[in-house]
Amino acid sequence: MSPLLDAVLDLGPQLAEHVLLCASAVALGIAVALPLAVWASRSPTVARFALGFASLVQTIPALALLALFFPILLAARSVFGEDLPTLGFLPAWLALALYALLPILRNAVTALANLDDELIEAADGLGMTAWQKLRLVQAPLAAPFVMAGIRTASVWTIGAATLATTIGQRSLGDPIFAGLQTQNWVLVLAGCVASAGLALVADGLFGLVERGFASRRPALVITGALVALAGIAGAAASTMDWRGDAPESVVIGAKSFSEQYILARAIGSVLQDAGFVVEYREGLGSAVVHNAVASSAIDISVDYTGTLWTNTLERKDNPGRNAMYDEIVRWEQENTGARVLGRLGFENAYGLAVTQETAARYGLATIADLAGVAPQLTIGGDPEWFERPEWNAVRNAYGLRFADQRTYSPTFMYNALISGEADVISAYTSDGRIAAQDLVVLEDPREALPSYDAIVLLSPRVADDTDLIEALQPLLGSIDVETMREANFTVDRQDNKWSPERAGKWLLEQVGI
Amino acid sequence: MTGAPPAFLRFEALSKSYDGVRAVRDVSLSIRQGEFVALVGASGSGKSTLLKCINRLVEPTSGRVLLDGEDVLDGAAPPVRRRIGYVFQGIGLFPHMSVAENIALTPRLVGERLPDARIAELLHLVELDPALAERLPAELSGGQRQRVGVARALAGDSHLLLMDEPFGALDPITRGQLGERVRRLHDELELTTVMVTHDMAEALLLATRVLVMDGGGIVADETPAALLAGAGGEVAQALVEVPREQARQLAGLGG
């Protein structure tokens, strides 16, 4: 079989959860949109307000809308209690339902507004109550248009739901994000094929229902609806836990870059060997991960001291490597209840990297050397870099002024450097491509960039789980930066690419576990 | 008042204003059971507004309408409307329902099922083939559709039939036939009928009593014979003159 087919066929669980997520989001959208449309048909003010709001929501990029629900739900915990999930299904469901609202609402409002005046006069003249008029006249006549709106909403939702991966909800976005980060285009394609295929199926089925309503053929309506319901029921059945009292699983989170995928799989494999049931939430936004582990939405994450220091503790000083680590351990214990289990042994710091040719041409060895030539150069960074305090710190410490700055996904950043689109990039020191492409990481004599020890964080839920801590103990202090670089490169390289799973196993072998 | 039968339908000082413009001005009159009343007037004379005050499609600004001694404004509108047959120019057959379903609607609204035999009888009354019962309105001609409209208005066993320009959109032949049929039904079923029309000839041919409206008020209240004899005043006579002049011209052509 072809690798693409293999990859698509591996997506069963993601497909099932994707179907359930979209079905429940569209269902919620319908449940809100239809009563709202009826109300709007009786009040022009409500119509203006509801359509205005739905259109406004539509202008928010789907990714941002999904991300916004994390802080909204965090704030809602003050009302609903600490058990309210802030990641995963709930925020994805709410955000996608909001997104599904507009097409359904707009079609329903338009259909109700454009019903023939004569039919409304006849309905009133015969003595129908408002409810009878809705049930006997307005609803059946608006049905094909409402169905067209539901159809559009479903197709949009199926596409947008791939973004739910970034907030920890399993979806067909998993292979897309994983593939994008590890340059595994077969995975990306598999995710796209599956999601597009699902959208086509939904479009076809709801098109059948729509035609059935329009041509008054109930058989078409029932066939389309039954097949759609059967698909949803099948998806629900496949995600059910048939084992009965299965042990609660440990959820391992990963940000969206290769090292995180590999370490998540390595940790998962160690825990599985120790008898734990493991789940992965991969491709999470970097800012989301810490909140997720602090709120026990995930149980284990690998983070970096410098990242937590600036983003979470909001500190601007640089007290040195060990002091920083100790302070983070104390801070987590006091403020979130999460446990810093320990350091993995390597650092993944931000550094500025150039090619050998650039280094030779301008005589660059340290960031200080860069200051004089920066106005002729273009700097590339990942989407976070230019927003991070480290960028400000290093720019101010060395007085850097670049000719231009560009943003790339981590994967494309290295390609941009090699192809000359960018002259300097914000590299990660554990990145396998530094060695493989023989890049020069400029030294930081003024220590503007903090240290980035990789550390393992445990959520409050598992912070005192001695079996789990014991199982993970051998990993601590065992991974040096060269080994990590090599493991990262097996996933990042163009040829003979490994899966993060395989790279994780290889990493464990190298460190003797 | 003792001894005289109470009026079946009674307007008391009825007025209706739209944004300060008075469409109906202070109309008071009584209609007895069995009358066929035509409301005639130019566009904007207030005749449709007056008619729709009866079944509350229009709510009056002041005054009241009594039907069988009861104020139609008491309580909710739907029960009042179900007691009144309503036929209008737009017809308003529901396109997603068959002819039979359209006719059976009024009983259905109060949870009753109209027997097929009664549907066939109603179709027969308006001179339609009962085989049309299962057709959709889109498959019928304009005249057939308005016949179904009349059958639907009669299905609720109401004794009051309101018609707003009922034949306005039909071709002249159909219009004449259906008008005559409705007049015979009015007699056979002992209905009280109020019909709005701008066509004085139609009013003279069908009605037992013609009310002429102008500027929101009633300016003439006469029998067809009295109108033809010159009664009713200037506005009424101007309207009567139209068909009379046409008849003279036709006679001249024939002569």
Side-chain angles (χ1 to χ4, degrees):
Chain A
M1 276 196 290
S2 77
L4 178 61
L5 192 59
D6 280 340
V8 172
L9 292 177
D10 268 349
L11 292 177
Q14 282 87 352
L15 177 68
E17 294 212 16
H18 200 93
V19 167
L20 289 180
L21 175 63
C22 295
S24 41
V26 172
L28 181 61
I30 294 171
V32 174
L34 293 190
L36 204 55
V38 171
W39 191 16
S41 74
R42 292 169 190 177
S43 157
T45 317
V46 173
R48 234 184 357 260
F49 203 75
L51 282 176
F53 172 74
S55 304
L56 186 72
V57 167
Q58 214 69 49
T59 62
I60 304 174
L63 189 58
L65 192 63
L66 284 161
L68 278 176
F69 265 89
F70 182 75
I72 291 172
L73 288 173
L74 265 189
R77 281 189 164 186
S78 60
V79 180
F80 296 102
E82 293 301 308
D83 289 337
L84 187 73
T86 53
L87 285 172
F89 183 81
L90 185 67
W93 180 51
L94 294 175
L96 291 172
L98 262 185
Y99 230 55
L101 202 59
L102 178 69
I104 305 174
L105 186 65
R106 192 161 51 196
N107 275 37
V109 167
T110 311
L112 288 177
N114 290 333
L115 280 189
D116 212 330
D117 287 342
E118 286 164 354
L119 297 180
I120 299 303
E121 184 176 347
D124 287 333
L126 285 172
M128 290 191 192
T129 60
W131 168 245
Q132 286 173 330
K133 189 161 63 172
L134 179 65
R135 187 166 58 87
L136 297 173
V137 179
Q138 292 169 307
L141 292 175
F145 304 99
V146 172
M147 202 57 223
I150 291 172
R151 187 177 166 191
T152 308
S154 304
V155 172
W156 285 9
T157 304
I158 288 169
T162 55
L163 300 169
T165 293
T166 56
I167 53 169
Q169 165 61 34
R170 198 190 291 183
S171 78
L172 289 172
D174 291 10
I176 298 176
F177 280 92
L180 188 62
Q181 292 315 319
T182 60
Q183 296 205 44
N184 185 337
W185 307 124
V186 172
L187 267 187
V188 175
L189 205 58
C192 292
V193 165
S195 150
L198 182 61
L200 285 175
V201 169
D203 189 53
L205 288 177
F206 292 144
L208 206 63
V209 176
E210 186 188 331
R211 270 216 311 289
F213 275 129
S215 60
R216 301 190 185 97
R217 281 145 72 192
L220 285 188
V221 175
I222 292 166
T223 307
L226 277 186
V227 174
L229 279 178
I232 294 165
S238 79
T239 58
M240 293 259 204
D241 195 348
W242 301 106
R243 289 165 300 179
D245 50 297
E248 204 174 345
S249 48
V250 175
V251 183
I252 305 171
K255 302 183 189 184
S256 60
F257 50 92
S258 308
E259 179 171 293
Q260 288 272 322
Y261 286 95
I262 296 168
L263 289 171
R265 295 288 163 166
I267 290 170
S269 145
V270 166
L271 288 180
Q272 268 171 335
D273 289 347
F276 286 91
V277 178
V278 168
E279 268 183 60
Y280 300 97
R281 292 276 181 280
E282 295 167 325
L284 298 175
S286 166
V288 160
V289 166
H290 179 264
N291 286 316
V293 77
S295 59
S296 299
I298 59 174
D299 294 315
I300 303 177
S301 72
V302 173
D303 222 313
Y304 305 93
T305 50
T307 309
L308 294 179
W309 187 254
T310 50
N311 288 4
T312 309
L313 277 65
E314 294 177 352
R315 297 278 290 259
K316 296 200 167 29
D317 53 331
N318 188 351
R321 190 170 177 178
N322 287 325
M324 187 183 283
Y325 174 78
D326 292 340
E327 172 61 11
I328 289 171
V329 173
R330 189 196 63 77
W331 189 91
E332 292 290 357
Q333 203 173 8
E334 276 181 20
N335 291 282
T336 67
R339 182 190 194 115
V340 180
L341 191 59
R343 294 185 259 209
L344 284 171
F346 71 94
E347 255 196 275
N348 182 2
Y350 270 114
L352 296 183
V354 296
T355 58
Q356 287 287 354
E357 299 87 74
T358 309
R361 189 186 322 155
Y362 299 107
L364 303 177
T366 71
I367 303 178
D369 299 334
L370 199 55
V373 294
Q376 308 161 43
L377 304 178
T378 295
I379 182 166
D382 64 46
E384 282 182 33
W385 169 247
F386 295 112
E387 302 302 324
R388 292 187 66 90
E390 289 92 332
W391 164 236
N392 266 330
V394 74
R395 202 166 45 164
N396 294 336
Y398 296 95
L400 298 177
R401 294 285 175 276
F402 286 94
D404 193 10
Q405 64 182 52
R406 292 182 189 164
T407 302
Y408 302 95
S409 79
T411 298
F412 293 120
M413 201 165 65
Y414 291 91
N415 296 349
L417 186 67
I418 301 304
S419 69
E421 273 184 63
D423 304 301
V424 183
I425 58 168
S426 64
Y428 319 109
T429 52
S430 65
D431 200 304
R433 287 167 287 206
I434 289 177
Q437 295 171 349
D438 204 14
L439 304 181
V440 177
V441 178
L442 300 175
E443 282 171 37
D444 177 19
R446 292 177 202 164
E447 292 188 339
L449 296 166
S451 60
Y452 285 84
D453 277 315
I455 56 174
V456 177
L457 280 156
L458 302 183
S459 73
R461 193 177 77 86
V462 298
D464 299 314
D465 187 328
T466 46
D467 291 344
L468 184 125
I469 292 169
E470 197 182 324
L472 292 178
Q473 210 66 45
L475 274 173
L476 300 179
S478 70
I479 305 170
D480 62 38
V481 72
E482 283 77 22
T483 315
M484 194 67 235
R485 266 185 199 166
E486 239 180 292
N488 285 339
F489 190 63
T490 62
V491 171
D492 289 333
R493 65 190 168 197
Q494 300 292 344
D495 306 316
N496 186 26
K497 198 179 259 303
W498 286 1
S499 69
E501 178 105 41
R502 182 169 171 196
K505 292 244 164 70
W506 178 87
L507 187 68
L508 292 177
E509 282 166 28
Q510 297 306 302
V511 302
I513 297 172
Chain B
M1 293 290 286
T2 46
F8 180 60
L9 184 63
R10 193 175 161 76
F11 298 90
E12 288 182 353
L14 195 80
S15 291
K16 172 65 185 178
S17 302
Y18 292 105
D19 300 324
V21 179
R22 295 230 279 174
V24 172
R25 293 163 188 264
D26 197 25
V27 169
S28 293
L29 71 103
S30 295
I31 293 170
R32 287 184 311 280
Q33 204 142 17
E35 283 194 287
F36 193 125
V37 178
L39 279 173
V40 192
S43 300
S45 59
K47 53 192 193 299
S48 269
T49 305
L50 184 63
L51 182 88
K52 286 178 179 175
C53 283
I54 301 171
N55 65 355
R56 288 180 62 177
L57 289 177
V58 169
E59 302 267 332
T61 311
S62 64
R64 53 183 197 155
V65 180
L66 299 174
L67 175 58
D68 239 350
E70 289 170 34
D71 189 341
V72 297
L73 287 172
D74 282 349
V80 176
R81 293 173 182 157
R82 286 174 198 152
R83 288 166 50 202
I84 302 174
Y86 181 59
V87 177
F88 66 113
Q89 182 169 358
I91 307 177
L93 296 187
F94 298 111
H96 57 298
M97 297 180 184
S98 69
V99 165
E101 286 170 322
N102 266 286
I103 292 174
L105 254 181
T106 311
R108 182 175 168 190
L109 297 182
V110 292
E112 285 167 21
R113 200 184 151 276
L114 201 63
D116 289 347
R118 174 74 177 139
I119 292 171
E121 186 189 339
L122 284 163
L123 285 171
H124 180 72
L125 279 181
V126 294
E127 298 175 322
L128 282 179
D129 182 353
L132 293 179
E134 296 314 312
R135 299 271 181 90
L136 287 174
E139 301 170 70
L140 306 183
S141 72
Q144 287 175 320
R145 269 182 240 165
Q146 191 56 296
R147 284 172 194 269
V148 175
V150 173
R152 182 172 70 178
L154 297 174
D157 292 326
S158 43
H159 297 285
L160 177 60
L161 183 62
L162 304 183
M163 299 201 287
D164 189 2
E165 304 269 8
F167 316 124
L170 305 179
D171 68 79
I173 295 175
T174 312
R175 184 179 184 146
Q177 290 172 344
L178 191 51
E180 277 171 38
R181 183 66 215 157
V182 166
R183 175 60 212 255
R184 270 184 284 134
L185 282 173
H186 166 88
D187 295 338
E188 288 164 18
L189 303 175
E190 297 174 352
L191 302 174
T192 305
T193 302
V194 183
M195 175 178 78
V196 164
T197 178
H198 60 263
D199 181 349
M200 183 54 98
E202 191 172 74
L204 293 170
L205 289 170
L206 299 181
T208 58
R209 179 178 174 190
V210 178
L211 302 177
V212 178
M213 288 192 74
D214 186 44
I218 291 178
V219 295
D221 180 356
E222 302 289 345
T223 61
L227 280 175
L228 287 170
E234 206 178 316
V235 179
Q237 285 306 313
L239 289 167
V240 174
E241 190 53 31
V242 178
R244 191 178 270 150
E245 175 62 22
Q246 282 175 337
R248 265 200 300 273
Q249 285 176 357
L250 289 171
L253 286 175

